[in-house]
């Protein structure tokens, strides 16, 4: 049974930084890509960042230049370094694993339960 558990969320002031991590178990090694999505109040879940098994990365337009996704194969984890945080980054962040390519499609793959990120002004 594939399981994904997010951690690292919290409350931070605008301009600050947070680092999220996604711990995986099960047959995650068989997936082509993993990524982070988020759902802000009043909005639909959207793509934040993704990384393929080959190391190719993809970022949402709103986080380019501020967020960095990475993976640790030995620990079987995927991380999201978030810098220069803005109040509009406030959302629940979800980890996703899928066999297909990272995209805006939120109706595929396995999901974690999410971790709350709140950025105050």
């Amino acid at each position: 049974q594939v399981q994904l558990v997010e951690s690292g969320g919290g409350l931070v002031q605008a301009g600050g930084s947070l680092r999220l991590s996604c711990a995986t178990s099960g047959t995650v090694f068989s997936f082509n890509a993993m990524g982070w999505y988020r759902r802000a109040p009043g909005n639909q879940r959207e793509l934040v960042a993704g990384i393929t098994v080959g190391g190719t990365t993809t970022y949402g337009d709103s986080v380019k230049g501020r967020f960095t996704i990475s993976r640790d194969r030995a620990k079987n984890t995927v991380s999201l370094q978030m810098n220069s945080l803005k109040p509009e980054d406030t959302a629940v962040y979800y980890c996703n694993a899928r066999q297909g390519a990272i995209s805006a499609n939120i109706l595929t793959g396995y999901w974690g339960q999410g971790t709350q990120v709140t950025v105050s002004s």
Side-chain angles (χ1 to χ4, degrees), residues 49-62:
I51 186 167
T52 69
V53 67
T56 301
T57 57
T58 301
Y59 294 94
D61 291 338
S62 64

Side-chain angles (χ1 to χ4, degrees), residues 9 35 37 48 99:
Y37 294 73
V48 176
Q99 293 180 314

Side-chain angles (χ1 to χ4, degrees), residues 10-18 82 85-87 90 117-121:
L11 175 64
V12 65
Q13 293 184 345
S17 300
L18 284 174
M82 305 185 295
L85 284 163
K86 305 174 181 180
T90 296
V117 171
T118 302
V119 184
S120 65
S121 59

Side-chain angles (χ1 to χ4, degrees), residues 4 14-15 18 29 34 41 45 52 54 57 65 71 73 91 102 108 114:
L4 299 86
L18 284 174
F29 65 88
M34 295 188 66
R45 192 174 300 189
T52 69
T57 57
R71 65 180 180 182
R73 295 176 181 177
I102 289 293
T108 186

Side-chain angles (χ1 to χ4, degrees), residues 45-99:
R45 192 174 300 189
E46 65 175 350
L47 172 68
V48 176
I51 186 167
T52 69
V53 67
T56 301
T57 57
T58 301
Y59 294 94
D61 291 338
S62 64
V63 306
K64 289 179 180 177
R66 299 188 298 121
F67 292 8
T68 303
I69 189 171
S70 62
R71 65 180 180 182
D72 186 328
R73 295 176 181 177
K75 295 183 177 181
N76 202 27
T77 60
V78 176
S79 299
L80 183 69
Q81 179 66 46
M82 305 185 295
N83 298 325
S84 302
L85 284 163
K86 305 174 181 180
E88 50 263 45
D89 293 318
T90 296
V92 177
Y93 286 70
Y94 300 88
C95 183
N96 172 264
R98 60 182 63 183
Q99 293 180 314

